[in-house]
């Protein structure tokens, strides 16, 4: 087998592309909402911008599974990244020339979201595919890719917050460059890296999609896990796009404090992600979920209760470290649990449900915060958050899930 780039083949380049994509995502996460708050002064409108991005994103993600199966990972990823780059580049140009309107911004954000919906789905399979291409463990590549995303989280928020305070248009321009870099890297990956791609040429698109929905619904564990992720996303997704910008504005600290908080959390998350590469291969997923997700609750409470800055910083460090453990477990479950031919469709359906929670959360929390302030909505979110996790952990199939995730079609005592 050819290994064109190194003994690890294309995997290092895939991870580099992941870092570039993660950087672009987190820079935009901070420059865009702050730009909206600066120009409109409304948390509700900032939430609506995030909603306008996430709604087409989840629709595209919902429908993209059969397309990824037919067209292939690299082609879908490259086309979608180019569309994203054009959308953000247009925002940057219009913002720099003071010609952007709120309606045009919503339209461009919607195009960006739709492209990201299909593109991120395709890119999420590149790391394990690259690992399999050179005979490396797919699960290890999934954890490495999660770590690469965390690397982007370390620098992205700080860069985004600094650029938001100076000139959001410059931040959008940097995002465009990073997206183009990611696209170029993906376009240079070897075509033989996709041995698992099996186009459904004999099935119509809608029959293929229906088959994926039927398969998804049969696996109750997968359904429960994505319901949990959607509800947690509804409660926590507004943190970066709505809650933090408003909190920083009310505190008179500006976007710099947002960058400091999220960069510190990301640094703790980077340390946690390196630890998680080994720990998640040995510890039951239910314990990872319990510790990793429940330790995010202090993030909500410190802001609701008006904790001092040092208390907020401590909560962000704990949440950053603990939050690094569940993502590779979730990725491993959604990669290994479904049968090979349904893998893209199961992930597209599940992640679209998660993005639905994110989209609704940003809209609902934005309106609630505009009307009631930060304290009430955040305390309510914390209570609901704990209830959702206790519900998931009460299910026997979740508690009994082992670290070596196996397909739902395999017998419990079978070997992978």
């Amino acid at each position: 087998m050819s290994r064109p780039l190194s003994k690890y083949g294309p995997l290092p380049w895939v991870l580099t592309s992941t870092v570039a994509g993660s950087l672009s995502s987190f820079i935009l996460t901070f420059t865009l909402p702050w730009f909206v708050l600066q120009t409109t002064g409304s948390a509700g409108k900032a939430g609506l911008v995030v909603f306008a991005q996430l709604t087409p994103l989840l629709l595209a993600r919902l429908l993209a599974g059969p397309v990824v199966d037919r067209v292939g990972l690299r082609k879908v990823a490259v086309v979608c990244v180019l569309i994203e780059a054009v959308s953000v580049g247009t925002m940057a140009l219009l913002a720099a020339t003071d010609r952007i309107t709120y309606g045009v911004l919503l339209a461009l954000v919607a195009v960006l979201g739709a492209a990201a919906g299909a593109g991120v789905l395709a890119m999420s399979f590149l790391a394990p595919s690259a690992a399999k291409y050179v005979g490396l463990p797919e699960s290890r590549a999934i954890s490495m890719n999660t770590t690469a995303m965390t690397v982007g989280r370390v620098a992205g928020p700080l860069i985004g917050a600094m650029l938001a305070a100076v000139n959001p248009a410059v931040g959008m321009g940097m995002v465009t460059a990073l997206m183009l870099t990611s696209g170029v890297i993906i376009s240079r990956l070897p075509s033989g890296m996709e041995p698992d791609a099996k186009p459904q040429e004999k099935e119509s698109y809608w029959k293929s999609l229906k088959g994926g929905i039927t398969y998804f619904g049969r696996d109750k564990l997968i359904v429960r896990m994505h319901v949990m992720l959607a509800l947690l996303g509804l409660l926590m997704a507004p943190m970066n796009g709505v809650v933090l910008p408003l909190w920083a504005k009310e505190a008179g600290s500006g976007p710099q404090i947002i960058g400091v908080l999220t960069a510190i959390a990301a640094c703790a998350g980077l340390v946690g992600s390196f630890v998680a590469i080994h720990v998640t291969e040995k510890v039951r997923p239910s314990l990872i979920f319990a510790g990793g997700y429940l330790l995010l609750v202090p993030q909500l409470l410190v802001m609701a209760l008006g904790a001092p800055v040092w208390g907020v910083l401590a909560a962000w460090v704990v949440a950053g470290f603990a939050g690094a453990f569940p993502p590779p477990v979730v990725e491993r479950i959604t990669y290994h649990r479904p049968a090979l031919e349904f893998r893209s469709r199961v992930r597209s359906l599940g992640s679209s449900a998660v993005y639905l929670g994110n989209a609704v959360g940003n809209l609902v929390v934005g309106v609630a915060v505009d009307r009631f302030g930060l304290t009430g909505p955040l305390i309510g979110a914390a209570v609901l958050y704990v209830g959702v996790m206790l519900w998931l952990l009460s299910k026997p199939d979740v508690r009994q899930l082992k670290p070596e995730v196996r397909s739902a079609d395999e017998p419990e005592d079978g070997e992978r």
Side-chain angles (χ1 to χ4, degrees):
M1 180 179 293
S2 174
R3 298 185 179 185
L5 302 178
S6 70
K7 68 178 180 178
Y8 296 108
L11 182 57
W13 291 107
V14 172
L15 298 178
T16 302
S17 174
T18 298
V19 172
S22 180
L23 271 172
S24 67
S25 176
F26 280 97
I27 291 173
L28 190 63
T29 295
F30 286 88
T31 54
L32 190 56
W34 191 262
F35 173 72
V36 176
L37 276 174
Q38 278 186 324
T39 54
T40 68
S42 169
K45 286 190 175 181
L48 183 58
V49 166
V50 179
F51 182 81
Q53 179 182 359
L54 291 180
T55 301
L57 189 153
L58 74 90
L59 290 174
R61 179 65 66 91
L62 176 66
L63 301 173
V67 176
V68 172
D69 287 338
R70 290 167 181 262
V71 178
L73 303 179
R74 294 181 311 118
K75 291 180 180 179
V76 172
V78 170
V79 170
C80 290
V81 167
L82 290 177
I83 294 173
E84 290 180 72
V86 171
S87 300
V88 179
T90 303
M91 290 182 213
L93 180 62
L94 292 176
T97 57
D98 199 26
R99 295 182 179 179
I100 195 165
T101 65
Y102 188 69
V104 170
L105 179 64
L106 289 177
L108 290 171
V109 164
V111 173
L112 170 68
V120 173
L121 172 66
M123 287 187 281
S124 69
F125 292 110
L126 290 176
S129 296
K132 189 172 184 179
Y133 181 65
V134 292
L136 295 173
E138 294 166 279
S139 293
R140 182 60 58 88
I142 291 171
S143 296
M144 292 171 67
N145 196 58
T146 304
T147 301
M149 294 179 66
T150 307
V151 172
R153 287 179 57 200
V154 172
L158 190 58
I159 295 172
M162 289 190 299
L163 292 176
V166 178
N167 189 340
V170 176
M172 295 176 192
M174 182 177 290
V175 168
T176 303
L178 287 167
M179 287 176 171
L180 291 174
T181 300
S182 178
V184 169
I185 292 173
I186 295 169
S187 70
R188 301 295 296 173
L189 295 174
S191 58
M193 201 189 77
E194 301 181 48
D196 293 338
K198 295 185 177 182
Q200 310 293 322
E201 295 180 355
K202 296 182 180 180
E203 287 186 339
S204 68
Y205 170 85
W206 294 110
K207 185 176 181 181
S208 178
L209 181 63
K210 181 180 178 181
I213 294 173
T214 302
Y215 184 89
F216 181 90
R218 287 205 306 262
D219 192 333
K220 301 305 180 185
L221 185 145
I222 287 286
V223 172
R224 289 193 188 101
M225 188 184 72
H226 284 100
V227 169
M228 177 270 294
L229 292 172
L231 292 173
L232 297 191
L234 186 149
L235 299 171
M236 293 298 293
M239 181 64 72
N240 289 336
V242 177
V243 176
L244 271 178
L246 184 61
W247 173 77
K249 187 177 180 181
E250 290 182 349
S253 302
Q256 292 89 344
I257 188 62
I258 303 175
V260 170
L261 283 174
T262 50
I264 288 175
C267 288
L270 183 60
V271 175
S273 66
F274 281 114
V275 177
I277 290 175
H278 304 284
V279 171
T280 56
E281 295 177 354
K282 301 175 182 178
V283 179
R284 284 185 178 273
S286 58
L287 296 177
I288 298 293
F289 288 157
Y293 284 129
L294 290 177
L295 286 174
L296 299 181
V297 175
Q299 276 190 312
L300 297 168
L301 294 179
V302 292
M303 302 189 76
L305 301 176
V309 173
W310 66 264
V312 177
L313 289 172
W316 252 249
V317 170
V318 171
F321 182 82
F325 287 80
V329 176
V330 171
E331 290 287 311
R332 195 174 300 155
I333 292 172
T334 57
Y335 185 82
H336 287 298
R337 179 94 176 166
L340 176 61
E341 62 269 25
F342 290 100
R343 190 175 287 161
S344 295
R345 282 170 282 176
V346 166
R347 182 167 290 186
S348 71
L349 292 166
S351 56
S352 64
V354 176
Y355 280 114
L356 175 61
N358 293 350
V360 173
N362 276 280
L363 185 62
V364 171
V365 172
V367 173
V369 168
D370 264 350
R371 182 168 182 179
F372 302 108
L374 286 174
T375 302
L378 290 182
I379 291 177
V383 173
L384 292 173
Y385 188 104
V386 173
V388 170
M389 283 309 307
L390 293 178
W391 165 77
L392 179 75
L393 296 173
S394 70
K395 303 301 179 182
D397 55 352
V398 176
R399 295 197 306 271
Q400 294 167 9
L401 191 63
K402 297 179 179 179
E404 61 279 8
V405 179
R406 53 172 55 90
S407 170
D409 298 328
E410 294 183 38
E412 182 63 25
D413 58 350
E415 296 291 328
R416 281 199 66 80

